[in-house]
Amino acid sequence: MSMASVRMVTRSRSQGPGAGPRGGGEEAAPFRRGEAAAGKKSHSPTKRQRKTQKLSVTYEASDHEKGEGAKPPEAPGWEPRDWQQQLVNIRTMRSGKDAPVDQLGAEHCYDPSAPPKVRRYQVLLSLMLSSQTKDQVTAGAMQRLRARGLTVDSILQTDDSTLGTLIYPVGFWRSKVKYIKQTSAILQQRYGGDIPASVAELVALPGVGPKMAHLAMAVAWGTVSGIAVDTHVHRIANRLGWTKTATKSPEKTRAALEAWLPRELWSEINGLLVGFGQQTCLPVHPQCQACLNRSLCPAARSLCGP
């Protein structure tokens, strides 16, 4: 007889709650020391009693009880402490939508009257210009470029010196002149003047990084491909404890955030935290006194004192 099919029935003098046979899958309660199993005094020698007490029976659920194909329950994933309340507080602090990113971000720099292909190109160009550059400076450069007609063809017909003058003083403007020209030539030759519709193809373009690629997918194509992490998002996520361990780069932070943050929040996080970083959670001298998360932020004490 298979051990899987063995069932034990114990009887007790008391027929109170819980007495009688136990249902399948439950273990019988162990006997107390010196208590007989059948409810009668045992006439067996003491030696036998000790032997019985030492007996150990292992029960294994039958295949029917286990359920065919059943899997053990998965352990809950890690998530930061208090993150939901922290998010609610940041939304409250950002409700005015009056940070530079809210007025001058990539979604505000293209010509809404231009054909879709041109709009998408202008979104990508604004993102390329925005690296290591304040939104106000990027917006100014985009206005000057759009005044001359901002298309793939017009950029390729503009000499490097003129293009440099138009985009100055964006950060690393000399390198960006080279990248803009190279990328525009690739778009003309391979994509008919449009921009790629995948992160892998976007990051393969000169001067386009992962943050730009994910934002381009969101703004130009309306597709949420990942969390766009810049220096603001990277800094704030680490300060709030939104990464399981401290991260050293925006890409590490992106991977850490995407591991636990619900996907439906991915598109919101960049703009929300960038504006929060521009106004409150500054790189130097953050405004902890005015922050609703002061008591919930692991970094607040070290940054701003008690």
Side-chain angles (χ1 to χ4, degrees):
M1 181 182 295
S2 169
M3 292 298 297
S5 60
V6 175
R7 299 182 63 189
M8 287 192 65
V9 177
T10 60
R11 295 178 181 173
S12 174
R13 294 175 181 174
S14 171
Q15 297 298 322
R22 292 179 179 265
E26 292 186 26
E27 282 186 39
F31 295 123
R32 296 177 183 174
R33 186 181 181 94
E35 184 179 358
K40 298 180 180 180
K41 291 184 179 180
S42 174
H43 298 286
S44 302
T46 306
K47 185 175 181 181
R48 185 172 179 178
Q49 286 183 346
R50 290 177 180 172
K51 185 175 181 181
T52 302
Q53 289 171 353
K54 291 181 180 179
L55 182 64
S56 175
V57 181
T58 301
Y59 294 88
E60 183 179 346
S62 66
D63 292 339
H64 176 72
E65 289 172 326
K66 287 180 180 178
E68 211 168 316
K71 296 180 180 179
E74 295 182 2
W78 178 88
E79 63 179 34
R81 181 180 179 181
D82 300 322
W83 74 269
Q84 291 173 312
Q85 186 58 53
Q86 290 170 339
L87 181 61
V88 168
N89 290 341
I90 293 173
R91 284 174 176 156
T92 299
M93 290 182 281
R94 292 278 288 113
S95 60
K97 299 292 183 184
D98 52 0
V101 68
D102 298 314
Q103 309 300 324
L104 306 171
E107 64 270 31
H108 302 290
C109 288
Y110 63 82
D111 180 2
S113 64
K117 184 165 66 174
V118 175
R119 294 202 302 265
R120 290 191 287 267
Y121 173 67
Q122 292 181 359
V123 168
L124 181 61
L125 214 64
S126 71
L127 290 168
M128 294 176 70
L129 292 173
S130 70
S131 176
Q132 302 294 313
T133 305
K134 292 184 180 297
D135 288 332
Q136 298 92 322
V137 176
T138 299
M142 285 296 294
Q143 286 178 350
R144 293 188 291 274
L145 290 171
R146 283 173 50 189
R148 295 170 59 94
L150 181 52
T151 64
V152 169
D153 290 337
S154 70
I155 288 295
L156 291 175
Q157 293 167 9
T158 303
D159 63 80
D160 290 4
S161 177
T162 302
L163 183 56
T165 301
L166 290 170
I167 69 172
Y168 181 83
V170 299
F172 304 100
W173 63 272
R174 290 185 179 85
S175 296
K176 289 177 181 178
V177 167
K178 178 179 68 175
Y179 293 146
I180 288 171
K181 283 295 193 69
Q182 291 174 344
T183 289
S184 297
I186 292 171
L187 297 181
Q188 185 186 63
Q189 295 164 9
R190 300 182 189 175
Y191 300 97
D194 208 339
I195 71 171
S198 74
V199 171
E201 291 174 291
L202 284 165
V203 297
L205 297 170
V208 179
K211 179 208 78 171
M212 303 175 206
H214 288 300
L215 281 176
M217 290 297 296
V219 178
W221 291 110
T223 300
V224 178
S225 56
I227 300 174
V229 178
D230 65 354
T231 55
H232 292 291
V233 179
H234 171 62
R235 177 180 73 254
I236 294 166
N238 276 273
R239 285 180 176 176
L240 289 175
W242 283 11
T243 59
K244 193 172 184 179
T245 58
T247 54
K248 301 298 183 183
S249 70
E251 267 300 274
K252 294 286 187 182
T253 300
R254 180 182 66 80
L257 289 173
E258 290 180 1
W260 67 267
L261 188 69
R263 193 178 182 90
E264 61 267 21
L265 300 176
W266 288 11
S267 61
E268 176 189 15
I269 287 299
N270 178 267
L272 193 68
L273 295 190
V274 169
F276 181 55
Q278 290 175 337
Q279 293 181 310
T280 305
C281 198
L282 307 173
V284 181
H285 304 306
Q287 307 298 307
C288 297
Q289 300 290 346
C291 182
L292 298 180
N293 281 328
R294 184 179 179 187
S295 63
L296 300 176
C297 177
R301 181 175 295 274
S302 61
L303 289 170
C304 301

